[in-house]
Amino acid sequence: MSLKSEAIHPLPKAGILDISLYVPGKSAARGAKIYKLSSNESPFGASPQAVAAYASKGNLLALYPDGSATELREAIAARYGLNAGSIVCGAGSDELLQLLAHAYLAPGDEAVYSQYGFLVYPIAIASNGAKAVVAPEVNHSTSVDDMLKCVNAQTKMVFLANPNNPTGTYLPFNEVKRLHAGLPKTTLLVLDAAYAEYVRRNDYESGLELVATSDNVVMTRTFSKIYGLAGLRLGWAYCPAHVADVLNRIRGPFNVSAAAMAAGVAAIGDQKFIETAIAHNEKWLGLLTEQLQALGLKVTPSVGNFLLIHFASSGNRTAPMADAWLNEHGIILRRMEAYGLPQCLRMTIGDEEANRAVVSALADFLK
Ligand SMILES: *Cc1c(COP(=O)(O)O)cnc(C)c1O
């Protein structure tokens, strides 16, 4: 009997080996000083109170954390006026997105996300053997009409990053409500509001209200962006009671570390620290957009802490060439090939020095 047709080692479930690896932003470049603007991290870091709370757990490492994250859930609930029982915490919102897909998607199911949507969604969908259905975008913005056209009886989940990464565009709340109204009651709408704190628009809502008034909407949030705690891995989901119950059954019993919970409670308590970061972002979002446009570059209008910058698709001023030039000057932006945007680079809004360094290096590059 030939062994050739038989597997020679254990194989994962169908679909898993088709997943492309998620490639994080680079962190190395040439130059004495490195400006890392590739992963939407906060130039302000974390609140000193959060850092102190984290450090305070250093001599308690032998003890298991509170598996139900009570103190953290109560701090989040108090901050946003929510019911703590409807909050589930995770090791980053990525874990919660994965858990949601794990709980609600199986082979034969479909899940919808938009063309330039966050790349964690296709990974979460394919890991559970479901089919990813990609809705086209219009002007690098989610199109509710195109998303609804992708929905059928097999659609179990719809993922919407609002604002979206990497485009920086957002859907006004009435559009989110229109999307929700067009979904079957059995389809779970996941609103990923990782950048909600940065948005300064009257017609934007993160989704708290929609979760509270529906049975099929979940909102995820993170401590990785405005709170500057990306290294700790901390996020939360606000869910209908029946979804919270499902997530609590399948999550790891101690999925959030004691130090992360302590830092999260302190970070939520230090809103003054966040206000500085919000004001800085608003100022530089506008300034950088203007200055890059003045260099002749197209910039997608963003409400997040990053900008999608468009370069020529041929010739000697392309995005890969700009990237190489910036790397030579110690500046790291994010290449966008994985998102199907090879002519773009994504820039995180940095501190003033980093922002000025990018504009000046790009001005030289485009000369
Ligand atoms: C950064 C980001 C997250 C946050 O991921 P964490 O796992 O919480 O660090 C979630 N969604 C989007 C769209 C993001 O850009």
Side-chain angles (χ1 to χ4, degrees):
M1 190 182 77
S2 160
L3 283 176
K4 263 195 187 145
S5 61
E6 287 174 27
I8 53 162
H9 56 65
L11 291 174
K13 289 185 288 191
I16 288 185
L17 294 178
D18 301 326
I19 297 173
S20 309
L21 276 184
Y22 183 91
V23 183
K26 275 191 294 183
S27 44
R30 288 231 211 155
K33 175 118 202 212
I34 304 292
Y35 300 105
K36 180 176 187 280
L37 304 173
S38 58
S39 299
N40 298 347
E41 293 148 335
S42 173
F44 292 88
S47 151
Q49 292 173 30
V51 175
Y54 167 78
S56 76
K57 294 291 174 185
N59 53 356
L60 296 170
L61 295 184
L63 305 180
Y64 274 103
D66 168 16
S68 48
T70 307
E71 216 192 318
L72 176 60
R73 287 186 300 106
E74 284 173 356
I76 295 166
R79 164 74 182 86
Y80 294 101
L82 310 176
N83 166 9
S86 297
I87 296 170
V88 179
C89 297
S93 48
D94 284 352
E95 184 193 24
L96 296 161
L97 296 167
Q98 290 280 1
L99 287 173
L100 286 164
H102 189 44
Y104 291 96
L105 295 178
D109 293 338
E110 298 186 2
V112 177
Y113 68 98
S114 74
Q115 187 176 4
Y116 304 116
F118 189 40
L119 275 181
V120 166
Y121 311 148
I123 297 176
I125 297 164
S127 331
N128 294 288
K131 182 178 160 198
V133 179
V134 184
E137 294 194 7
V138 177
N139 289 330
H140 300 98
S141 287
T142 302
S143 153
V144 169
D145 290 326
D146 285 300
M147 273 207 145
L148 288 175
K149 274 184 213 151
C150 293
V151 173
N152 60 38
Q154 276 66 252
T155 310
K156 290 288 161 54
M157 294 180 82
V158 172
F159 289 96
L160 176 70
N162 196 29
N164 184 49
N165 167 22
T167 54
T169 53
Y170 78 107
L171 281 187
F173 190 46
N174 58 4
E175 280 291 277
V176 178
K177 282 196 283 197
R178 191 164 73 83
L179 172 63
H180 175 246
L183 297 177
K185 290 193 174 10
T186 48
T187 301
L188 187 64
L189 173 60
V190 179
L191 299 175
D192 175 350
Y195 301 95
E197 296 86 352
Y198 290 104
V199 185
R200 309 280 95 188
R201 291 287 190 284
N202 290 332
D203 59 357
Y204 174 79
E205 299 266 350
S206 64
L208 294 170
E209 180 194 321
L210 205 54
V211 175
T213 55
S214 328
D215 276 331
N216 63 336
V217 184
V218 171
M219 177 197 62
T220 59
R221 299 285 282 262
T222 184
F223 282 89
S224 299
K225 305 287 155 58
I226 192 98
Y227 288 103
L229 293 172
L232 266 191
R233 314 305 305 127
L234 189 59
W236 54 282
Y238 181 48
C239 320
H242 65 96
V243 176
D245 174 59
V246 164
L247 293 180
N248 282 324
R249 285 170 197 262
I250 64 166
R251 67 178 173 81
F254 303 103
N255 61 328
V256 180
S257 74
M261 286 191 276
V265 170
I268 273 269
D270 190 1
Q271 291 295 316
K272 252 193 115 189
F273 184 82
I274 301 307
E275 281 162 25
T276 314
I278 293 173
H280 171 89
N281 195 73
E282 193 181 12
K283 171 182 165 189
W284 280 99
L285 198 57
L287 280 176
L288 281 167
T289 303
E290 281 167 26
Q291 292 174 6
L292 294 170
Q293 283 172 342
L295 295 176
L297 295 165
K298 184 185 151 201
V299 180
T300 301
S302 171
V303 295
N305 69 335
F306 54 89
L307 290 169
L308 188 67
I309 310 171
H310 301 249
F311 292 83
S313 44
S314 60
N316 51 8
R317 298 287 184 273
T318 64
M321 287 167 174
D323 184 51
W325 173 271
L326 291 168
N327 281 188
E328 288 294 320
H329 294 78
I331 298 165
I332 313 170
L333 305 192
R334 184 66 156 265
R335 294 277 290 261
M336 287 284 115
E337 279 84 352
Y339 280 92
L341 294 164
Q343 74 285 19
C344 296
L345 297 177
R346 190 194 67 197
M347 171 191 181
T348 305
I349 311 271
D351 62 15
E352 173 165 357
E353 183 182 312
N355 297 338
R356 294 204 188 281
V358 173
V359 174
S360 139
L362 284 177
D364 289 344
F365 169 71
L366 293 165
K367 256 183 205 154

